[in-house]
Amino acid sequence: MATVIDMLDELQNRALREPEVREKLLATRKEKDPFSAFCRACRELGYEIYEMELICAGEEFHAAMKRSTNGGGENSPMIEGEDDFYELFMANIE
């Protein structure tokens, strides 16, 4: 079973190859609720990504990185957006 991170990686590569997919995903930024619109667009493209899964994946990924670099301790502040896979994804396809 593919993880959210795997699906985002595959979708990012697809968006970079297929201009219509890229435009569809970038257009979600103009919606009233861009985060939900993005997840809905992902599902329309065949990637089962839901809001809470995307949020949790970012937080879990960030926590795992912190554990691996800090010996399990949490003593450094989070940089704004560091765990926001939506914003990171959008920055990568722009």
Side-chain angles (χ1 to χ4, degrees):
M1 181 175 180
T3 67
V4 170
I5 295 169
D6 294 334
M7 288 186 281
L8 286 173
D9 188 48
E10 184 179 319
L11 186 56
Q12 177 180 308
N13 289 329
R14 185 174 168 191
L16 294 172
R17 286 189 319 268
E18 301 175 33
E20 64 280 358
V21 171
R22 181 177 175 268
E23 292 306 314
K24 179 182 182 95
L25 295 170
L26 288 174
T28 64
R29 285 187 150 176
K30 298 174 184 156
E31 297 290 327
K32 181 178 179 182
D33 183 358
F35 196 73
S36 292
F38 173 77
C39 290
R40 188 172 48 255
C42 290
R43 291 190 301 272
E44 289 169 3
L45 291 165
Y47 300 88
E48 291 296 314
I49 297 174
Y50 295 88
E51 290 87 335
M52 284 309 298
E53 291 174 338
L54 187 54
I55 292 167
C56 290
E59 291 173 354
E60 289 169 10
F61 182 79
H62 174 75
M65 275 189 5
K66 291 285 187 172
R67 284 191 301 274
S68 71
T69 59
N70 291 334
E74 179 57 57
N75 59 10
S76 58
M78 183 184 300
I79 298 169
E80 187 176 338
E82 195 171 33
D83 65 340
D84 188 342
F85 279 6
Y86 169 76
E87 286 300 328
L88 291 171
F89 181 91
M90 288 301 188
N92 287 333
I93 67 169
E94 280 188 313

